[in-house]
Amino acid sequence: MKKNHVVLLLHCPDQKGIVLEVSKFLVAHQCNILELDQYTDLENNHFFMRVKFDKGDVELSEKLLESSFEETVAEKCTMKWRMYFCGKPWRVALFVTKLSHCIYDILQRYRSNEWDIEIPLIISNHDKLAYIAEQFDIPYHVFPITKENKLEQEAKELALLKENDIDFVVLARYMQVLTDDFIGHYPNKIINIHHSSLPAFPGSKPYHSAYRRGVKIIGATSHFVTADLDAGPIIAQDITKISHTDSVQDLIRKGRDLEKTVLSEAIWLKLEHKILSFKNKTIVFR
Amino acid sequence: MKKNHVVLLLHCPDQKGIVLEVSKFLVAHQCNILELDQYTDLENNHFFMRVKFDKGDVELSEKLLESSFEETVAEKCTMKWRMYFCGKPWRVALFVTKLSHCIYDILQRYRSNEWDIEIPLIISNHDKLAYIAEQFDIPYHVFPITKENKLEQEAKELALLKENDIDFVVLARYMQVLTDDFIGHYPNKIINIHHSSLPAFPGSKPYHSAYRRGVKIIGATSHFVTADLDAGPIIAQDITKISHTDSVQDLIRKGRDLEKTVLSEAIWLKLEHKILSFKNKTIVFR
Amino acid sequence: MKKNHVVLLLHCPDQKGIVLEVSKFLVAHQCNILELDQYTDLENNHFFMRVKFDKGDVELSEKLLESSFEETVAEKCTMKWRMYFCGKPWRVALFVTKLSHCIYDILQRYRSNEWDIEIPLIISNHDKLAYIAEQFDIPYHVFPITKENKLEQEAKELALLKENDIDFVVLARYMQVLTDDFIGHYPNKIINIHHSSLPAFPGSKPYHSAYRRGVKIIGATSHFVTADLDAGPIIAQDITKISHTDSVQDLIRKGRDLEKTVLSEAIWLKLEHKILSFKNKTIVFR
Amino acid sequence: MKKNHVVLLLHCPDQKGIVLEVSKFLVAHQCNILELDQYTDLENNHFFMRVKFDKGDVELSEKLLESSFEETVAEKCTMKWRMYFCGKPWRVALFVTKLSHCIYDILQRYRSNEWDIEIPLIISNHDKLAYIAEQFDIPYHVFPITKENKLEQEAKELALLKENDIDFVVLARYMQVLTDDFIGHYPNKIINIHHSSLPAFPGSKPYHSAYRRGVKIIGATSHFVTADLDAGPIIAQDITKISHTDSVQDLIRKGRDLEKTVLSEAIWLKLEHKILSFKNKTIVFR
């Protein structure tokens, strides 16, 4: 995001005049709309909007803009909303286990400034990928997880996340199930990559299941993590075609390319403030 | 489109407050926004918008709504705009030559009410597909074209189109080049399907060229017809993967599936009033 | 297939020298290999092969070629095999209910000679699509199905199929479940199109389920029909991307384009003798 | 490749009995066929084959197998052929300039043993990516290129390649045109990634051209480098859909994901000995 650019994400029960109220507010504050996307969920009678605007060079404090919006627009329409200002980049924590394809894909984008983020730490239940953290000079914290110590270890992880002021968490093929309590600390702020086209083949060995069933496509799904395993709101999905000649190992190999692309797409959408969640589904403005 | 639904398509030089003006107008006339898509071309500093709204059951003449919009909004912003009201379906003319896949695809959608259109006539330079017109009970007019008689024949075709009150023309693998004069009568109202991923392989034998070059993908492109052959604004494109085992005949066969899908996608977008053309490119609201 | 062209499909337990035996046989009979595809299933230690060859102009009776192959090659290797000779086109029966997109797609290919088949009859549980059969001058038989009369009606259908010497059956969005008995008469000879990416969303309303789950892709699956509903060997699958803006009606509309393409792809593969079934999976030679 | 596995790639003028000769040879040497792919180019009357076989544990020197094949099979059929034995991994040189996405993608696969290769050196015309070579502990050689020194610098590069016993070269977004002389040293052994769907948009700024033309898809093409710029035999291609909302910067960003996938696919196919080149096209066995 460029200096002076602001993204406003909002949703509320549908009613006449929402666009008018928002645009009146923007003109009153001498803001210029750059992008406006709107969606009405007719089934639930609910209104969603994303506006990207340029607030110009006028001295206009972020706090003031926010409180003014709350008073003149949001209250009236019982909106849930948030403004994202250009400025300090989001702080992202990566969780990994043993597979390196997603983490390298993310770190390449990070290091080449494709994404304007900070990655202050990497957390793992295994030391296998410590060398990557070292290559990129990022602190790497290992918390081996057992049934017995999970809550305890998660408490330490949460402390680290708070301490590092983490905005959202990416599970880059992290092979542990998080507890509901952990997830509750980061609602719609934990993005996972699942290695199948959910709802097909949830669980831990989707490529083996796909092979057994003899499907002709394999997929990957990025989604927000909720208490319900592999059932959170889906952000992005893609597939690749396979054939009888592909062994399980081939599926795993081909799947990796999907996984990294589909995970990075979700992260990008999150960074661009293009995702809203509602009733276990996502609205993804393009 | 449902009763009372209206689509407003507009574009104008970018300036502050356009969204405000439009939404003020809609609220003033007790209209409720259903879909709003907006795009700003920063290079050309130009603003594009599509609004679908429900004008409610209030007695509100279409004429009045239009003149009111022109006076209170459009003039001020030097807009080019148009409102599309639910009501009489668009009248579409099909031009064909010898290949039947696109025309059947279109007629199936027409006959099953996937599209709310009327097809009062089919024009061809050849009698080969007359049997299809007969199957669907649609008048079929044959105008054989030679270098000498082209202008004359086109004049007759134009007369037929006017007579039948045609809204737009679909070239469903019509194998004749239209004259600039003909095209001038239907600016951005003639949709063609080209059997390659333009700008690759323009001209008349793209699958043969693709085969010779040894490409691994073939494509299809639907576009508005302009005086510049195969160079009009692109509406939709898609591809399919091929391999060395595919002969030219295989490319032609596989290509047909692309052609019909990509052509029908463009027609659908046109029917939904989702396309704006500007400087030889399209804005396609999704 | 051209005159003199023959396709040999075979499978047997893997062992050394199969290719040698087959190629010895072909050279001995002065046949020239045009295409050879081979696959070894290492898990089941099973060998699969497709050979397309030119048997030349020499007088060589089909019967003789077959009996010679059985004696000199097939017995030795305990093969299951079949030779397909150019000559009389396969006879295909279409089963339909109320949706016309797949049947038109098939009939267009049939009528334009894309496929070298005969369609001597269309069977339906409903009279809605009789007009299409009439357009193409194909007998249309209606057998309304209730829980009570299903076996009886299927008996009549089977009689019709035998009478018409049907080689295989295509369920072109036929909305009835066939009994195991019926299926038993046409093993791997009934192709169905299911409107989801199986195994996701089996059953009768997959687009509604997809909408509720908030997936970002929808799919279609063509498969052989077995006693296990929606669980037969998969032949082909494809998907299209969707977004939150797509209503259930949009999914149904977009899905139709997938359904017809994926069904026709399966039929084409069957006609080219490119499919072998083994242990509820398909080997699809490309 | 596993121990004892061998890949045989061959092509020759088509004639009867080639498969027989090859399979006789393999049985005579007690080899078991694992994969056999064959293709006949009917236009050029040319035969292509790839056989992967297990030569068993019998003591059988590679040299002997090769000379025996030459004498008993290859000479007779005037074949061009090569056998690839499991054993020492191929040695690959990477050429890069300033963009890091392809090189990280390759190094991740290398480091995680997805590919069984060695990368003894990275060559660049720029020092920008030296840090990556350092991360992975690979020698990085900088040869700045000017019009004047190109031949001289290439001579040094060639010396380095010979010295390091390089099997093939990957241009991972290397932004220099190689001379014909350089290319002549590695025929069909230099793989390049071009950032468009060739033949659309050859040359140096394809994303800018794609943006100007208003296409709805962008692509990437991996190909062997020949003296003819961007016109060598195509190995793999893929595309992604774009819209009017994508700026040139978006195209560049989205294109990077294609580039790395399409380049790595080509490298994988090369490593699996699945590519044959003939008359400026590739046969890619799948």
Side-chain angles (χ1 to χ4, degrees):
Chain A
M1 289 221 295
K2 286 188 194 151
K3 201 168 152 285
N4 297 325
H5 285 192
V6 185
V7 171
L8 167 62
L9 268 181
L10 64 87
H11 65 98
C12 62
D14 193 25
Q15 55 207 281
K16 265 181 202 164
I18 305 173
V19 175
L20 177 59
E21 291 302 324
V22 173
S23 52
K24 245 172 32 190
F25 171 85
L26 292 174
V27 166
H29 290 80
Q30 300 192 279
C31 300
N32 196 26
I33 294 175
L34 298 166
E35 298 171 11
L36 190 159
D37 287 286
Q38 175 276 343
Y39 168 67
T40 308
D41 175 344
L42 295 172
E43 207 178 20
N44 293 296
N45 215 29
H46 208 80
F47 179 96
F48 303 84
M49 195 159 86
R50 177 184 185 273
V51 197
K52 185 172 181 176
F53 57 91
D54 187 327
K55 70 182 185 64
D57 287 327
V58 253
E59 207 58 42
L60 181 64
S61 99
E62 300 179 0
K63 281 264 151 60
L64 218 66
L65 200 66
E66 289 179 319
S67 62
S68 168
F69 185 75
E70 177 62 29
E71 281 161 34
T72 58
V73 183
E75 268 182 14
K76 200 185 310 183
C77 303
T78 55
M79 276 178 189
K80 298 206 171 172
W81 65 278
R82 201 164 153 195
M83 278 187 200
Y84 300 91
F85 296 92
C86 157
K88 69 177 170 74
W90 270 7
R91 296 170 66 80
V92 180
L94 303 182
F95 279 55
V96 299
T97 299
K98 290 183 175 181
L99 295 169
S100 65
H101 56 294
C102 286
I103 179 175
Y104 265 124
D105 194 70
I106 290 166
L107 293 175
Q108 182 272 321
R109 295 173 203 265
Y110 169 46
R111 185 68 169 77
S112 68
N113 298 316
E114 178 174 320
W115 294 342
D116 181 29
I117 57 172
E118 279 169 17
I119 301 181
L121 81 166
I122 297 169
I123 286 176
S124 180
N125 59 329
H126 204 281
D127 60 7
K128 192 183 170 192
L129 302 182
Y131 74 94
I132 302 176
E134 206 172 304
Q135 284 180 331
F136 288 83
D137 205 17
I138 299 171
Y140 187 85
H141 303 269
V142 180
F143 296 95
I145 308 279
T146 63
K147 231 201 265 186
E148 288 72 31
N149 76 359
K150 181 175 266 193
L151 282 173
E152 197 182 328
Q153 296 288 63
E154 282 193 351
K156 288 183 200 159
E157 290 167 358
L158 279 168
L160 260 177
L161 297 183
K162 300 292 174 199
E163 199 177 292
N164 280 281
D165 206 12
I166 290 303
D167 291 291
F168 73 95
V169 171
V170 173
L171 308 184
R173 296 299 312 272
Y174 179 62
M175 298 283 86
Q176 286 290 328
V177 176
L178 300 170
T179 64
D180 295 4
D181 177 66
F182 187 102
I183 296 164
H185 284 82
Y186 289 92
N188 290 325
K189 287 178 177 171
I190 307 175
I191 294 175
N192 184 43
I193 180 71
H194 183 76
H195 38 321
S196 84
S197 293
L198 291 173
F201 312 125
S204 70
K205 293 252 184 192
Y207 293 126
H208 291 76
S209 307
Y211 179 80
R212 265 195 306 278
R213 178 61 186 90
V215 292
K216 301 300 185 189
I217 52 177
I218 54 167
T221 305
S222 52
H223 63 94
F224 287 123
V225 176
T226 58
D228 230 348
L229 185 65
D230 295 337
I234 292 170
I235 303 168
Q237 298 188 291
D238 204 359
I239 61 104
T240 201
K241 295 199 176 182
I242 57 165
S243 82
H244 63 275
T245 61
D246 288 305
S247 65
V248 173
Q249 290 312 311
D250 290 320
L251 302 196
I252 291 171
R253 178 176 55 79
K254 292 184 173 182
R256 282 195 295 256
D257 282 1
L258 281 176
E259 293 161 25
K260 64 190 185 198
T261 311
V262 171
L263 176 56
S264 286
E265 188 187 352
I267 298 171
W268 170 258
L269 291 166
K270 180 79 180 162
L271 293 172
E272 292 284 295
H273 317 299
K274 295 204 160 180
I275 316 176
L276 275 169
S277 284
F278 188 68
K279 297 202 167 199
N280 211 44
K281 291 164 108 174
T282 60
I283 284 84
V284 179
F285 298 111
R286 294 283 174 166
Chain B
M1 289 222 295
K2 286 186 195 153
K3 202 170 149 286
N4 298 325
H5 285 191
V6 185
V7 171
L8 167 61
L9 270 181
L10 64 87
H11 64 99
C12 62
D14 193 26
Q15 54 206 284
K16 265 181 204 167
I18 306 172
V19 175
L20 177 58
E21 291 301 324
V22 174
S23 53
K24 243 169 40 187
F25 171 85
L26 292 173
V27 166
H29 291 81
Q30 301 193 277
C31 299
N32 196 28
I33 293 175
L34 299 167
E35 297 171 11
L36 191 160
D37 287 285
Q38 174 277 341
Y39 168 66
T40 309
D41 175 344
L42 296 171
E43 208 178 17
N44 292 297
N45 214 33
H46 208 79
F47 179 96
F48 303 84
M49 194 158 85
R50 177 185 183 272
V51 198
K52 186 174 180 175
F53 57 90
D54 188 329
K55 70 180 185 66
D57 287 326
V58 252
E59 208 58 41
L60 181 61
S61 99
E62 300 180 0
K63 282 263 150 65
L64 218 68
L65 200 66
E66 289 179 321
S67 62
S68 169
F69 185 75
E70 178 62 28
E71 282 161 32
T72 59
V73 183
E75 268 182 14
K76 200 186 307 185
C77 304
T78 55
M79 277 179 189
K80 297 204 174 177
W81 65 279
R82 198 162 155 196
M83 279 189 200
Y84 300 92
F85 296 93
C86 156
K88 69 174 169 75
W90 271 6
R91 296 170 67 79
V92 180
L94 303 183
F95 279 55
V96 300
T97 298
K98 290 185 176 179
L99 295 169
S100 66
H101 55 294
C102 287
I103 180 175
Y104 266 124
D105 195 70
I106 289 167
L107 292 176
Q108 182 274 321
R109 296 173 201 264
Y110 170 45
R111 184 66 170 80
S112 68
N113 299 316
E114 177 173 320
W115 294 342
D116 180 29
I117 58 171
E118 279 168 16
I119 301 182
L121 81 166
I122 297 170
I123 285 176
S124 181
N125 58 329
H126 204 282
D127 60 7
K128 191 182 172 195
L129 302 182
Y131 73 94
I132 302 176
E134 205 173 306
Q135 285 181 330
F136 287 84
D137 206 17
I138 299 171
Y140 186 86
H141 303 268
V142 181
F143 296 95
I145 308 277
T146 63
K147 230 198 267 184
E148 288 72 32
N149 75 359
K150 180 174 266 192
L151 282 173
E152 197 182 330
Q153 296 289 61
E154 282 194 353
K156 289 182 200 160
E157 291 168 356
L158 280 168
L160 260 178
L161 298 182
K162 299 295 174 197
E163 200 177 292
N164 280 280
D165 205 12
I166 291 301
D167 290 292
F168 72 95
V169 170
V170 174
L171 308 185
R173 296 299 312 272
Y174 179 62
M175 298 282 86
Q176 286 290 329
V177 177
L178 300 171
T179 63
D180 294 5
D181 176 67
F182 187 104
I183 296 164
H185 284 83
Y186 289 93
N188 289 325
K189 287 178 177 170
I190 307 174
I191 295 176
N192 183 44
I193 180 70
H194 183 76
H195 38 320
S196 84
S197 294
L198 292 172
F201 311 125
S204 70
K205 294 253 185 193
Y207 293 127
H208 291 77
S209 307
Y211 179 79
R212 264 195 308 277
R213 178 61 186 92
V215 292
K216 300 301 187 188
I217 52 178
I218 53 167
T221 305
S222 51
H223 63 95
F224 287 124
V225 175
T226 59
D228 230 348
L229 185 65
D230 296 336
I234 292 171
I235 303 168
Q237 297 187 290
D238 205 358
I239 61 106
T240 200
K241 296 198 176 181
I242 57 164
S243 82
H244 64 275
T245 63
D246 288 304
S247 65
V248 173
Q249 290 312 312
D250 290 319
L251 302 196
I252 290 171
R253 179 177 54 80
K254 292 184 172 182
R256 281 195 295 256
D257 281 1
L258 280 176
E259 292 160 27
K260 65 191 185 197
T261 312
V262 171
L263 176 57
S264 286
E265 188 186 355
I267 298 172
W268 170 258
L269 291 166
K270 180 78 181 163
L271 293 172
E272 293 284 294
H273 317 299
K274 295 204 161 180
I275 316 176
L276 275 169
S277 283
F278 188 69
K279 297 200 170 202
N280 210 43
K281 292 165 106 176
T282 60
I283 284 83
V284 179
F285 298 112
R286 294 283 174 167
Chain C
M1 289 219 295
K2 288 190 192 147
K3 201 169 151 285
N4 296 327
H5 285 192
V6 185
V7 171
L8 166 62
L9 270 181
L10 64 87
H11 65 98
C12 60
D14 193 24
Q15 54 206 281
K16 264 180 204 166
I18 306 172
V19 175
L20 176 59
E21 291 301 324
V22 173
S23 52
K24 242 168 42 185
F25 171 85
L26 292 174
V27 167
H29 291 80
Q30 299 192 276
C31 299
N32 196 26
I33 293 175
L34 299 166
E35 297 172 10
L36 192 160
D37 286 287
Q38 173 277 344
Y39 168 66
T40 309
D41 175 344
L42 296 171
E43 208 178 18
N44 293 296
N45 213 34
H46 207 80
F47 179 95
F48 302 84
M49 194 158 87
R50 177 185 185 274
V51 197
K52 186 173 181 177
F53 58 89
D54 187 328
K55 71 181 183 63
D57 287 326
V58 250
E59 206 60 42
L60 181 64
S61 99
E62 300 180 0
K63 280 262 152 64
L64 218 68
L65 200 67
E66 289 178 321
S67 62
S68 169
F69 185 75
E70 178 62 29
E71 281 161 33
T72 58
V73 183
E75 269 183 13
K76 202 185 307 184
C77 303
T78 56
M79 276 178 190
K80 296 204 174 176
W81 65 279
R82 202 167 151 192
M83 278 187 201
Y84 300 91
F85 296 92
C86 156
K88 67 177 171 74
W90 270 8
R91 295 170 67 82
V92 180
L94 303 183
F95 279 54
V96 300
T97 299
K98 290 183 176 182
L99 296 169
S100 66
H101 56 294
C102 287
I103 180 176
Y104 265 124
D105 194 70
I106 289 167
L107 292 176
Q108 182 273 320
R109 294 174 203 264
Y110 170 45
R111 184 69 168 78
S112 68
N113 298 317
E114 178 173 320
W115 294 342
D116 180 29
I117 58 171
E118 279 169 18
I119 301 182
L121 82 167
I122 297 169
I123 285 176
S124 181
N125 58 330
H126 204 282
D127 61 7
K128 193 184 171 193
L129 302 182
Y131 73 93
I132 301 176
E134 206 173 304
Q135 285 181 330
F136 288 84
D137 204 17
I138 299 171
Y140 186 84
H141 303 269
V142 180
F143 296 95
I145 308 279
T146 64
K147 227 199 269 184
E148 288 71 32
N149 75 359
K150 180 174 268 192
L151 282 173
E152 199 181 328
Q153 296 289 62
E154 282 194 354
K156 288 182 201 160
E157 291 168 356
L158 281 169
L160 261 178
L161 297 182
K162 299 295 176 198
E163 199 176 293
N164 280 280
D165 205 12
I166 291 302
D167 291 293
F168 73 95
V169 170
V170 173
L171 309 184
R173 296 300 311 273
Y174 179 62
M175 296 282 88
Q176 287 289 328
V177 177
L178 300 171
T179 64
D180 295 6
D181 177 66
F182 187 104
I183 296 164
H185 284 82
Y186 290 92
N188 290 325
K189 288 178 176 170
I190 307 174
I191 294 176
N192 184 44
I193 180 71
H194 183 77
H195 37 320
S196 84
S197 294
L198 292 173
F201 311 126
S204 69
K205 293 252 184 192
Y207 292 126
H208 290 77
S209 307
Y211 179 79
R212 265 195 308 279
R213 178 60 186 92
V215 291
K216 300 300 186 190
I217 52 177
I218 53 167
T221 305
S222 52
H223 63 95
F224 287 123
V225 175
T226 58
D228 232 347
L229 186 64
D230 295 337
I234 291 170
I235 303 168
Q237 298 188 291
D238 205 358
I239 62 106
T240 200
K241 295 198 175 182
I242 57 165
S243 83
H244 63 275
T245 61
D246 289 305
S247 65
V248 173
Q249 290 313 310
D250 290 320
L251 301 195
I252 291 171
R253 179 176 54 80
K254 292 184 173 184
R256 281 195 294 255
D257 282 0
L258 281 176
E259 292 161 26
K260 65 191 185 197
T261 311
V262 171
L263 176 56
S264 285
E265 188 187 354
I267 298 171
W268 170 258
L269 292 166
K270 181 77 180 164
L271 293 172
E272 292 284 293
H273 317 300
K274 294 204 161 178
I275 317 176
L276 275 169
S277 284
F278 188 68
K279 297 201 168 203
N280 211 45
K281 292 164 106 173
T282 59
I283 284 84
V284 179
F285 297 111
R286 293 284 174 169
Chain D
M1 291 221 294
K2 287 189 194 149
K3 201 168 150 287
N4 297 326
H5 285 191
V6 185
V7 171
L8 166 62
L9 269 181
L10 64 88
H11 65 97
C12 61
D14 193 24
Q15 54 207 280
K16 265 181 203 165
I18 306 172
V19 175
L20 176 59
E21 291 302 321
V22 173
S23 51
K24 244 170 36 187
F25 171 85
L26 292 174
V27 166
H29 291 81
Q30 299 192 279
C31 299
N32 196 26
I33 293 175
L34 299 166
E35 297 170 10
L36 190 160
D37 286 286
Q38 175 276 341
Y39 167 66
T40 309
D41 176 342
L42 295 172
E43 209 179 17
N44 293 296
N45 214 32
H46 208 80
F47 180 96
F48 302 84
M49 195 158 86
R50 176 185 186 272
V51 197
K52 186 173 181 176
F53 57 90
D54 187 329
K55 70 181 183 68
D57 287 327
V58 252
E59 207 59 42
L60 181 64
S61 98
E62 300 179 0
K63 281 263 153 62
L64 218 67
L65 200 66
E66 290 178 321
S67 61
S68 169
F69 185 76
E70 178 63 27
E71 282 160 33
T72 60
V73 183
E75 269 183 14
K76 202 185 307 183
C77 305
T78 54
M79 277 178 189
K80 296 203 173 178
W81 65 279
R82 200 164 154 194
M83 279 186 199
Y84 300 92
F85 297 92
C86 155
K88 68 178 172 71
W90 270 7
R91 296 170 67 81
V92 180
L94 302 183
F95 279 54
V96 299
T97 298
K98 289 183 176 182
L99 295 169
S100 65
H101 54 295
C102 287
I103 180 175
Y104 265 124
D105 194 70
I106 291 166
L107 293 175
Q108 183 273 321
R109 294 173 203 265
Y110 169 46
R111 183 69 168 78
S112 68
N113 298 317
E114 178 174 319
W115 294 342
D116 181 29
I117 57 171
E118 279 169 16
I119 300 181
L121 82 166
I122 296 170
I123 286 176
S124 181
N125 58 328
H126 204 282
D127 62 6
K128 192 183 171 193
L129 302 182
Y131 73 95
I132 301 176
E134 206 173 303
Q135 285 180 329
F136 288 83
D137 206 16
I138 298 171
Y140 186 86
H141 304 268
V142 180
F143 296 95
I145 308 278
T146 63
K147 230 200 270 188
E148 289 71 32
N149 75 0
K150 180 174 268 194
L151 281 174
E152 198 182 328
Q153 295 290 62
E154 282 194 352
K156 288 183 200 159
E157 291 168 357
L158 280 169
L160 260 177
L161 298 182
K162 300 294 173 196
E163 200 176 292
N164 280 279
D165 205 12
I166 291 302
D167 290 292
F168 72 95
V169 170
V170 173
L171 309 185
R173 298 298 313 272
Y174 179 62
M175 297 282 87
Q176 287 289 327
V177 177
L178 300 171
T179 64
D180 295 5
D181 177 65
F182 187 103
I183 296 165
H185 284 83
Y186 289 91
N188 290 324
K189 288 178 175 170
I190 307 174
I191 295 175
N192 184 43
I193 180 71
H194 183 77
H195 39 322
S196 85
S197 294
L198 291 172
F201 311 125
S204 71
K205 293 251 185 192
Y207 293 126
H208 291 76
S209 307
Y211 179 80
R212 263 195 308 277
R213 178 60 187 93
V215 292
K216 300 300 184 187
I217 52 176
I218 52 167
T221 304
S222 52
H223 63 95
F224 287 123
V225 175
T226 58
D228 230 348
L229 185 64
D230 295 337
I234 292 171
I235 304 168
Q237 297 188 291
D238 205 0
I239 62 105
T240 200
K241 295 198 176 183
I242 58 166
S243 82
H244 63 275
T245 61
D246 289 304
S247 65
V248 172
Q249 290 313 310
D250 290 319
L251 301 196
I252 291 171
R253 178 177 55 79
K254 292 184 173 183
R256 282 195 294 257
D257 282 1
L258 280 177
E259 292 161 26
K260 65 191 185 196
T261 312
V262 171
L263 177 56
S264 285
E265 189 187 352
I267 299 171
W268 170 257
L269 291 166
K270 180 79 180 164
L271 293 172
E272 292 285 293
H273 318 299
K274 294 201 162 182
I275 316 175
L276 275 169
S277 283
F278 187 69
K279 296 201 170 203
N280 211 44
K281 292 165 105 174
T282 60
I283 283 86
V284 179
F285 297 111
R286 294 282 173 168

